[in-house]
Amino acid sequence: MNAKEILNQYRFKAKKAEEAREEYDKFMTRATKMTAAFTETTSRTNMTTDKVGDNAAALADLKKTWENLWIEAERERLRIVDSINQIEEPYRTILMARYIQEKNFEEISVELKYSYAWTTHLHGEALQKFEEWIKAKEENQHD
């Protein structure tokens, strides 16, 4: 993987966790409405109880999936932040803003008081420095 792909891993994992949370929230809303409708009915049948139980089990599964994806995304974020912190300034700030804080180049330019063109140029250099650091780290692990 190149530097950009490594840095984007957090974004992808965080997006998957957010999608799982949204799915959980939607299901929770539907399950709450369904439970309310069932409790309003006068006849309680095993079918109703089974449906509520099935929904509760599905909801628990969705919550566990979301929690696991969130934990995975957080671990990835911490790993990437630790790696970015090994790079000197201003490259560190640019990589953190772009890949952890998810800012666009205009926002980063304003924050650093650089031109847009200079910011994108420094971003390219930052990716090179990050990739060099990753390769050096991998070589040290093989020694």
Side-chain angles (χ1 to χ4, degrees):
M1 273 197 280
N2 66 30
K4 220 180 225 188
E5 291 169 334
I6 292 168
L7 291 165
N8 276 319
Q9 288 301 305
Y10 166 63
R11 279 185 183 174
F12 297 142
K13 289 181 179 187
K15 186 175 181 351
K16 283 176 72 175
E18 180 62 23
E19 288 169 355
R21 186 193 60 78
E22 288 172 3
E23 186 178 345
Y24 169 80
D25 288 346
K26 286 177 189 174
F27 194 89
M28 178 65 137
T29 301
R30 286 192 311 263
T32 303
K33 288 178 184 176
M34 184 181 291
T35 303
F38 284 145
T39 56
E40 288 177 11
T41 61
T42 55
S43 64
R44 294 212 174 237
T45 65
N46 287 341
M47 188 176 125
T48 301
T49 305
D50 290 347
K51 247 190 182 231
V52 171
D54 290 347
N55 283 332
L59 195 55
D61 288 345
L62 284 172
K63 184 176 182 185
K64 189 69 174 166
T65 299
W66 164 51
E67 288 171 344
N68 288 338
L69 287 170
W70 182 83
I71 289 168
E72 188 179 328
E74 271 306 295
R75 284 186 180 141
E76 189 68 22
R77 185 185 69 78
L78 292 172
R79 188 182 68 74
I80 290 172
V81 166
D82 185 54
S83 297
I84 291 172
N85 280 332
Q86 307 307 309
I87 310 301
E88 69 268 16
E89 290 294 346
Y91 307 116
R92 177 185 315 137
T93 298
I94 291 170
L95 293 176
M96 289 289 246
R98 183 75 175 154
Y99 296 99
I100 300 301
Q101 299 167 356
E102 299 187 30
K103 293 182 180 179
N104 63 39
F105 289 122
E106 288 178 17
E107 293 169 315
I108 298 168
S109 299
V110 169
E111 184 178 302
L112 296 177
K113 297 181 172 85
Y114 293 155
S115 71
Y116 181 90
W118 184 243
T119 300
T120 57
H121 173 78
L122 288 176
H123 174 258
E125 288 182 10
L127 290 174
Q128 287 176 329
K129 297 221 179 255
F130 185 81
E131 198 154 325
E132 289 167 9
W133 183 83
I134 293 292
K135 284 179 184 175
K137 181 181 170 188
E138 287 173 354
E139 286 174 9
N140 288 337
Q141 287 176 347
H142 288 53
D143 291 342

